[in-house]
Amino acid sequence: MAAAKKADRDERQAKSAARKAERAEKAARRAERKKNGASPSTIILSSSSFEWTSIPEDDEKALQHDRLSNLPDDVLLSIIERLDAADAMKTSILSRRWKQIPTMLSKILIMVGSADNMQERTCDVARANATMLGATRSLLESRSTSPYTIHRLCMQFFLGDGSIKFGPIVSKTIATHVVSFAEFTILTEKDYERCNPVDMLAYGWQLKLFISTCRNAFACLVRLKLENLRLGESDFPTILKLCKQLGFLRLDNCDMGLRSLLAVEHPLLRELEIIRSEFERVDLNCLPELTTLTFSYWNSLHDPLSFGYVPLLHTVSISNTALSWHKMLKLSEFLGKATVSNLHLGFESEKIWAKPEDSTELSEVFSKLRLVNLAAISEECDLTWTLFVLQGAPSLEELCIRVCDCLGIWDEEERKKLGYSEERKDADAKWEASYFKHRKLSVLRIFGFQSEDKFVDYITTVMKAAVNLKEIYLHEKPACEEKCEYRRQRGDRFPKSRKQKILVRNSLDMHMRPLLKLHFRF
């Protein structure tokens, strides 16, 4: 055994010495050529420094015979597909062996931020899109005679200067090649906070102009992300009809004017995200393949959503920073006939907008519910009202409660001006717990747990109701910004020491449930 180890060590040392000698020899040749004034004719990109480095023409043959270049095509492609667009397209100048590699790529990602290295909205849009155009031409126009299929084409770019120029290139590529998966992330020069209605109208017009340059590209899109757009009443339905293969759609701050109605119908759409909506209502009329819905931040005075034909819908995430005038939603009516299994409700440390209901009212919509996450509940709220979910969902397996008080706006005058509720956040969420037994719940998670009677009493109530509860996870408060005045004043009472943990265990009478495990998570 010792002899084998010694032989292995000697072999490694020999290889190391050989590599050092090879490097020394190359350095000597470079010094000699520099002394003789040889002129470089080939350039390569140093991926670590993003600087151009010269090598002489004499070394091109040697470069073609290095170990990396001798790898099989499929292995070489796998390596290059892990680079960003800028580096991938520059590999074609390494040698004749590498020249055709970019035309063989099956995954092409051309994005502002990778090709341009500028991710902030303060960047020059014209410059960013010019760089995108160069990357698009290098990676797509060169494939005009390539027989290789593009399995994944993802593009992220700005609307505006230059975007309509690479639309036809993408369109031609899709027309001449089989593209299995195409995705567009279309950004606007101004972000949400700086956009006004005039900007949104301008961006909407730019989008329609871009679509006109590459309609067949949109017909092949599987994923589409749009932001900060105001379109005409017929434009969204037209886009949905045009994107025949669409499986994922994200609309962030998009509308057809204040208090407009959006009807969504699509045969293949599986995931839908609508964020910061100015729609009065979104009607999910006919979405036979929809499985996941995210709906956040609405201004509607009424129910902001209606659920039509969504037979496969199983995951719903709804969040809102409710103001004083926001309607309390009755989930039994709001969800309609949608029987989901995974439900996330976010309250953003403001007014509770979900109205507690009797279990008989929730029996249909909660019949398949397996996981519930009640997020960003204000610390001033009592937690008893959340038990209506447990009582109304007999098949619930995991209940997650997240308590937080990192308000976006603390100034009382400003809160009053903007319409935030002046009452307790749970003023309209009263519910008196009645005696009931739950036989499916196995996991209870509480984020933002504090050693206070409110939390201890709540957990005790759940333990009495959930007779088959197996595990309780108590998590520390989520990370908070330094400017959060409430956190500094109140402090954190999460049990961290052994003595504090024992006190919590004793308060919960854990000795009465020997099979129930209590976990503390920092």
Side-chain angles (χ1 to χ4, degrees), residues 346-386:
F347 303 98
E348 309 306 319
S349 297
E350 288 294 345
K351 169 185 169 182
I352 302 300
W353 46 259
K355 188 175 183 62
E357 300 179 67
D358 187 81
S359 59
T360 56
E361 297 177 292
L362 294 166
S363 59
E364 183 176 354
V365 294
F366 279 7
S367 62
K368 295 182 179 180
L369 207 54
R370 299 291 185 272
L371 171 64
V372 170
N373 182 12
L374 303 177
I377 299 173
S378 170
E379 276 197 356
E380 77 175 38
C381 294
D382 184 74
L383 298 177
T384 306
W385 66 272
T386 66

Side-chain angles (χ1 to χ4, degrees), residues 281-292:
R281 191 178 70 246
V282 176
D283 297 328
L284 308 179
N285 286 344
C286 185
L287 296 166
E289 297 295 322
L290 187 69
T291 61
T292 305

